[in-house]
Amino acid sequence: MRYERLRREMVKRQIEARGIDDPQVIAAMLKVPRHLFVSDALRDQAYGDFPLPIGEQQTISQPYIVAEMTQALALGPEDCVLEIGTGSGYQAAVLAQIVYRVYTVERLHPLLLNARRLFDELGYFNIVTRYSDGTTGWREEGPYDAIIVTAGAPKIPAVLIDQLKVGGRLVIPVGSAHTQDLVKIIKHRDGLRQANLGGCRFVKLIGEHGWKDS
Ligand code: SAH
């Protein structure tokens, strides 16, 4: 099938060639039909090396960024992960191939409905969705083994660190409205360890502990 071939090319040239080597991440990205997470008109561009619009002025991340963030979370099959910013649902679908359960939160209802429908159609029953401001996390279901924020934050919301287990990992873009650094935090018993994974560019994280809605 044509999309399967495009997907293999994407993984080879954009993911493996740039150093992603976690076999779970590679297997997940070979499996999830990325073209179904964009509108019909953009289907043929879905495996390109760039983000794409998904409506509501939001974007589905570039494939490499999805792979990089997923690998950075160092996930295992028993893990429960919280994602802030469901968007198209693609990142959640990739996570769902690797972990036990994905909790994903989105503040724009039309995007959430679309993603939810797709998860049901594709049989991704280990993804739980919620319509809310994710900057306050999802306390009832935590603490989590990992948290991924897929929108750019002005600073790291402390409540998200609170909702991580000891040993848990958080990956979040932090910076200005236009450019951010991808930051990884590991929560240890005696404090936090922080690493900078490099520059990136995400849409704004809007909410109580993010940017103000304008
Ligand atoms: N992970 C998505 C990327 C979507 S872009 C994907 O794979 O397609 C970022 C998303 O974050 C947008 O849909 C935006 O509406 C959402 N977002 C921004 N601020 C948010 C908040 N406070 N809570 C939940 N979602 C938020």
Side-chain angles (χ1 to χ4, degrees), residues 34 37 52 54-61 66 69 83-93 104-109 111-112 130-136 148-152 202-211:
R34 181 171 163 95
F37 291 80
L52 285 170
I54 54 171
E56 308 282 329
Q57 296 173 303
Q58 307 302 318
T59 54
I60 177 175
S61 304
V66 173
M69 291 176 88
E83 179 194 31
I84 316 298
T86 314
S88 68
Y90 178 70
Q91 173 74 70
T104 184
V105 179
E106 172 58 55
R107 68 179 281 274
L108 296 174
H109 203 244
L111 293 179
L112 189 69
R130 184 189 194 188
Y131 170 53
S132 74
D133 171 11
T135 65
T136 58
I148 176 173
V149 181
T150 61
F202 278 82
V203 296
K204 282 201 245 178
L205 180 75
I206 296 173
E208 187 180 335
H209 301 294
W211 297 96

Side-chain angles (χ1 to χ4, degrees), residues 38-164:
V38 299
S39 63
D40 290 354
L42 295 176
R43 225 141 255 190
D44 288 349
Q45 296 182 60
Y47 296 98
D49 195 10
F50 35 75
L52 285 170
I54 54 171
E56 308 282 329
Q57 296 173 303
Q58 307 302 318
T59 54
I60 177 175
S61 304
Q62 177 192 6
Y64 175 73
I65 288 283
V66 173
E68 184 187 26
M69 291 176 88
T70 307
Q71 175 160 290
L73 292 173
L75 300 167
E78 316 277 305
D79 285 353
C80 287
V81 181
L82 173 66
E83 179 194 31
I84 316 298
T86 314
S88 68
Y90 178 70
Q91 173 74 70
V94 169
L95 294 168
Q97 309 305 308
I98 301 173
V99 302
Y100 177 68
R101 188 158 290 159
V102 179
Y103 297 89
T104 184
V105 179
E106 172 58 55
R107 68 179 281 274
L108 296 174
H109 203 244
L111 293 179
L112 189 69
L113 280 183
N114 240 332
R116 178 73 265 165
R117 202 184 47 222
L118 209 46
F119 298 152
D120 292 342
E121 275 170 27
L122 293 169
Y124 297 157
F125 300 124
N126 61 338
I127 304 177
V128 188
T129 56
R130 184 189 194 188
Y131 170 53
S132 74
D133 171 11
T135 65
T136 58
W138 187 345
R139 190 169 298 276
E140 297 76 5
E141 302 292 350
Y144 304 93
D145 299 287
I147 300 179
I148 176 173
V149 181
T150 61
K155 58 181 173 41
I156 298 167
V159 286
L160 296 184
I161 309 263
D162 290 345
Q163 292 175 32
L164 271 184

Side-chain angles (χ1 to χ4, degrees), residues 14-22 25-26 64 67-68 71:
Q14 304 172 37
I15 311 296
E16 292 178 309
R18 293 186 192 140
I20 302 293
D21 57 6
D22 181 338
V25 176
I26 290 167
Y64 175 73
E68 184 187 26
Q71 175 160 290

